[in-house]
Amino acid sequence: SQQGEEDPQALSIQEGENATMNCSYKTSINNLQWYRQNSGRGLVHLILIRSNEREKHSGRLRVTLDTSKKSSSLLITASRAADTASYFCATPAGGSTLGRLYFGRGTQLTVWP
Amino acid sequence: DVKVTQSSRYLVKRTGEKVFLECVQDMDHENMFWYRQDPGLGLRLIYFSYDVKMKEKGDIPEGYSVSREKKERFSLILESASTNQTSMYLCASNRGLLAGVPDTQYFGPGTRLTVL
């Protein structure tokens, strides 16, 4: 399977701390996406990083991609209780010309006030 | 803003019933997807459609069928619901590949289906 796998499965921190989630994948990719899911809701796209980028920022989010290690990380700085959600990495389905993605099982982040 | 809507947030059906889950997107997207999400298993693709009347099986198509008669609407059909189909069902859409990169997928709010 080309499915990305997030690590850790669950993360619990205090408000103001940084949260780091990792994603590992198995085959070569040209991009990786991160999504967020609030409890009982659909997923929302956060950020896309291409294989020729090593780091990308969006507000309090920082994403890195290391294609040699086949891994990516999502860092949320100065976390807030509202960041409590599940976070998923998504990788392209190899050989697909149709825009299909594989999603990992997610990291459940809990931020305590 | 892209909007993907699903016909029901919560649904309770009996074993053996035929169940229709409807999804509508308003951004003229080519691709539409149906996933199911179960604790510990993440999102698994059931079926997707890349054009009207066109479909491809995902990873777990057994027990499901789909219909896409109009570009904006993608229906998931459970021909004879079973208790192991109790799950959260998520619909998504996107424009396909853009310069070789899968476009962002836009998700609906989900339908939590319980089969008794």
Side-chain angles (χ1 to χ4, degrees):
Chain A
S1 168
Q2 295 172 316
Q3 189 180 46
E5 291 294 338
E6 293 90 348
D7 173 65
Q9 288 188 333
L11 182 60
S12 187
I13 59 174
Q14 295 290 133
E15 265 191 329
E17 294 180 342
N18 294 342
T20 300
M21 290 157 269
N22 302 295
C23 171
S24 59
Y25 56 91
K26 295 178 182 176
T27 62
S28 295
I29 58 173
N30 62 3
N31 78 97
L32 184 143
Q33 303 183 28
W34 283 91
Y35 288 76
R36 164 193 168 127
Q37 183 183 33
N38 286 2
S39 180
R41 310 296 296 185
L43 280 70
V44 175
H45 179 259
L46 292 176
I47 198 164
L48 180 152
I49 185 165
R50 297 174 186 267
S51 56
N52 60 355
E53 299 173 306
R54 294 186 62 83
E55 189 171 307
K56 199 165 181 179
H57 296 253
S58 177
R60 292 184 296 113
L61 305 181
R62 189 190 101 180
V63 169
T64 64
L65 180 63
D66 187 335
T67 54
S68 66
K69 295 182 179 177
K70 292 187 169 62
S71 69
S72 174
S73 68
L74 170 67
L75 168 68
I76 304 174
T77 59
S79 63
R80 305 166 183 167
D83 294 328
T84 294
S86 292
Y87 293 83
F88 296 85
C89 66
T91 53
S96 170
T97 59
L98 299 172
R100 179 184 167 175
L101 293 171
Y102 284 114
F103 289 84
R105 291 186 174 88
T107 291
Q108 171 62 52
L109 172 66
T110 302
V111 181
W112 298 100
Chain B
D1 279 350
V2 177
K3 192 162 185 182
V4 179
T5 57
Q6 294 183 228
S7 50
S8 305
R9 290 297 317 277
Y10 300 94
L11 208 52
V12 180
K13 295 292 182 181
R14 298 239 173 244
T15 301
E17 281 192 77
K18 190 169 186 176
V19 181
F20 292 86
L21 301 183
E22 304 284 337
C23 176
V24 177
Q25 51 95 3
D26 66 358
M27 282 302 291
D28 202 35
H29 284 171
E30 280 67 37
N31 285 3
M32 296 187 75
F33 306 84
W34 275 108
Y35 298 90
R36 65 176 282 177
Q37 184 178 26
D38 301 287
L41 297 179
L43 273 73
R44 294 180 290 167
L45 183 66
I46 305 171
Y47 266 100
F48 67 103
S49 169
Y50 51 93
D51 202 348
V52 175
K53 298 189 189 295
M54 306 303 287
K55 62 186 179 185
E56 279 206 15
K57 293 180 181 179
D59 299 320
I60 50 164
E62 297 78 19
Y64 303 95
S65 62
V66 291
S67 172
R68 193 165 181 204
E69 296 297 318
K70 294 185 177 182
K71 192 173 186 180
E72 68 270 19
R73 188 179 298 270
F74 192 34
S75 301
L76 179 69
I77 303 153
L78 286 65
E79 296 290 342
S80 177
S82 63
T83 55
N84 63 12
Q85 292 178 310
T86 291
S87 186
M88 170 71 107
Y89 289 87
L90 293 165
C91 175
S93 71
N94 75 359
R95 291 171 288 179
L97 282 182
L98 302 178
V101 171
D103 183 35
T104 297
Q105 288 194 14
Y106 296 86
F107 283 80
T111 295
R112 188 165 294 281
L113 172 67
T114 302
V115 182
L116 302 174

